[in-house]
Amino acid sequence: MHPRVRILLAIATVVVAKRPQRVSVPSARSESGAPTTANCTERWATVEANHFVWAAPVDGADYDDTFAMRYFTNTEYWGGPGYPIWFYTGNEANVEQYVNATGLMWENAAEHQAMLVFAEHRFYGQTWPCGGEEAAQEDCLHLLTTEQAAADYVELLALIKSGAAAADIAPCPTSPVIAFGGSYGGMLAAWVRMKYPGTFNGAISASAPILGFIGTALDGEGHGFYDDGGAGYWDIVQADTTQEKGAAPACSANLGAGFELIAKMSTDSAGRAALSDAFGLCPDAQVLDESDADGYRLQMWVLYAFDDYAMGNYPFASTYLEGPDALSPLPPFPMRAACEHLADDTLSDEGSEAALMDAVAAAVNLLYNSSGAEKCYESIPARDDELDGIWDYQWCTQMACQETYFSRRPSGIWPEYSFNLVSLDAAATGRTYQPHLPTATNHPQPPVRGRPMTHRDFAH
């Protein structure tokens, strides 16, 4: 791989947008006392449902032309009109998630006398066009685009700067605006600066894979992220399991052996029963059955945990990537902590199968049951859970990065997979949309029926 491509992959791929249902909304005040939503004012602004049509009825659909968009502000440090506005371009989750976790803005606002604004992305959290969550999912998915979301942010800023947004915020037409964002939010931050330079004076984009699209070159020699199906992403996650990155020396090899053992044991009912016992699946729930003879679902459940450890491998305790009902945070450097369960270099030896499965289960429990409160798991994700609800709709229609579709090399420790756009398109076409709803930790909601996605959706 070209060295410049490797550098870009390292920057752009480890924190990409992913399964929004795994992202929690921390409590109003963090244990560390850091600023959160408790330090902000929750507000609502009326914005256009469709910014790109001018004739009634709006694109033939029966819905209101405007909707209420949620956002949070903090003016504690603001110097007043003329002083900067720092604007978080909300991404694929409840905006409270980003209010509570975006330390860079909080840590520097006082020095720069900046107003902080955190905007919620349409179709996430409590911001739903077309009359509400159910109607939006049934009738208005074609309004879920990055272009519409960016235009929402421009309209919101116009209201704020004109003084029309709130009586306690003075008109500030000369205040410069800097966009902030991470992952998909970072992509949005970069794009609003490019698309609307008259509104956004600058952007700080973290872990924003804006070049992670098919046919987009990363350098002057034409190398692209999808040249190898995006496998560079999983190369980086695997690197985090190695001694070089601070993990236990035996972790990577043991984890790879664990995936192989799951596949081997899943081929018969006795093996699946042993796996269910090792991973703490509720005996009466019959989580694994004949359809799991290839071990795929359980492998993906393990894979998702280590994916999250890599993305949330912060040097401090955090609930950022745990489930909505997390009772305790992940420890600092969670990848290293998970790998401690796989530190014994004899786990891959013949005769150590039971010990290896117990170790892999303990490693994933760091995420799925960090508090130890769950006695057993009633379910694990469905076979097609990489099709992640409303975010997956965005991926399928606009190709925003989704790492569960990236290739995983046969030479790596992960279950092998080859990126195939044709099969992904076939899977998405006609698929019944499963909306993202809040779920209890370890107990996903049953699928909620919705309108099938069709080529009509993709045409918009």
Side-chain angles (χ1 to χ4, degrees), residues 143-194:
L143 297 180
L144 176 54
T145 69
T146 57
E147 293 86 354
Q148 297 283 4
D152 289 343
Y153 300 153
V154 172
E155 186 170 4
L156 173 59
L157 275 166
L159 293 171
I160 292 173
K161 297 183 78 172
S162 70
D168 59 330
I169 298 179
C172 48
T174 62
S175 288
V177 179
I178 305 299
F180 287 76
S183 190
Y184 170 52
M187 298 166 80
L188 287 168
W191 287 334
V192 294
R193 167 59 180 157
M194 297 175 191

Side-chain angles (χ1 to χ4, degrees), residues 74-166:
N74 177 284
T75 58
E76 176 183 357
Y77 312 110
W78 191 41
Y83 284 84
I85 298 171
W86 289 0
F87 189 98
Y88 188 90
T89 49
N91 36 312
E92 76 285 9
N94 186 319
V95 70
E96 296 174 41
Q97 160 74 16
Y98 308 110
V99 176
N100 295 348
T102 309
L104 183 67
M105 295 173 67
W106 289 108
E107 292 162 5
N108 294 280
E111 178 182 353
H112 296 275
Q113 295 183 265
M115 179 199 307
L116 303 184
V117 178
F118 298 86
E120 189 162 73
H121 195 296
R122 56 171 60 201
F123 286 82
Y124 293 101
Q126 298 179 31
T127 298
W128 294 91
C130 306
E133 183 172 356
E134 182 176 354
Q137 294 168 353
E138 289 286 340
D139 302 321
C140 298
L141 280 179
H142 64 289
L143 297 180
L144 176 54
T145 69
T146 57
E147 293 86 354
Q148 297 283 4
D152 289 343
Y153 300 153
V154 172
E155 186 170 4
L156 173 59
L157 275 166
L159 293 171
I160 292 173
K161 297 183 78 172
S162 70

Side-chain angles (χ1 to χ4, degrees), residues 24 51 318 362 396:
S24 66
H51 296 275
S318 170
C396 287

Side-chain angles (χ1 to χ4, degrees), residues 217-287:
L218 295 175
D219 60 20
E221 299 179 18
H223 298 99
F225 174 70
Y226 280 98
D227 287 355
D228 57 1
Y233 175 87
W234 290 107
D235 293 346
I236 294 171
V237 179
Q238 180 171 332
D240 278 351
T241 69
T242 65
Q243 184 178 14
E244 180 184 2
K245 300 298 183 182
C251 178
S252 190
N254 284 335
L255 183 57
F259 282 115
E260 293 176 2
L261 185 57
I262 289 172
K264 180 179 179 181
M265 293 178 65
S266 295
T267 57
D268 58 53
S269 58
R272 292 192 293 272
L275 288 170
S276 297
D277 182 62
F279 282 89
L281 307 183
C282 297
D284 297 334
Q286 295 183 330
V287 177

Side-chain angles (χ1 to χ4, degrees), residues 249-393:
C251 178
S252 190
N254 284 335
L255 183 57
F259 282 115
E260 293 176 2
L261 185 57
I262 289 172
K264 180 179 179 181
M265 293 178 65
S266 295
T267 57
D268 58 53
S269 58
R272 292 192 293 272
L275 288 170
S276 297
D277 182 62
F279 282 89
L281 307 183
C282 297
D284 297 334
Q286 295 183 330
V287 177
L288 302 179
D289 56 30
E290 291 82 1
S291 66
D292 297 301
D294 59 358
Y296 178 83
R297 278 208 305 149
L298 192 57
Q299 286 179 330
M300 291 303 99
W301 198 52
V302 174
L303 179 85
Y304 293 156
F306 280 86
D307 185 20
D308 280 357
Y309 295 149
M311 289 198 297
N313 206 23
Y314 309 124
F316 48 81
S318 170
T319 60
Y320 187 76
L321 287 173
E322 291 184 271
D325 297 327
L327 300 178
S328 62
L330 288 175
F333 296 110
M335 180 67 87
R336 299 178 187 178
C339 278
E340 283 302 309
H341 295 288
L342 294 161
D344 186 347
D345 59 9
T346 68
L347 287 174
S348 299
D349 293 349
E350 185 176 353
S352 299
E353 290 83 0
L356 177 58
M357 283 299 92
D358 288 343
V360 174
V364 300
N365 277 336
L366 185 70
L367 175 70
Y368 297 130
N369 192 15
S370 59
S371 68
E374 294 295 333
K375 301 305 180 184
C376 64
Y377 301 104
E378 292 180 354
S379 65
I380 60 176
R383 177 169 290 269
D384 59 355
D385 241 26
E386 63 265 35
L387 299 171
D388 289 313
I390 206 161
W391 171 251
D392 197 70
Y393 175 84

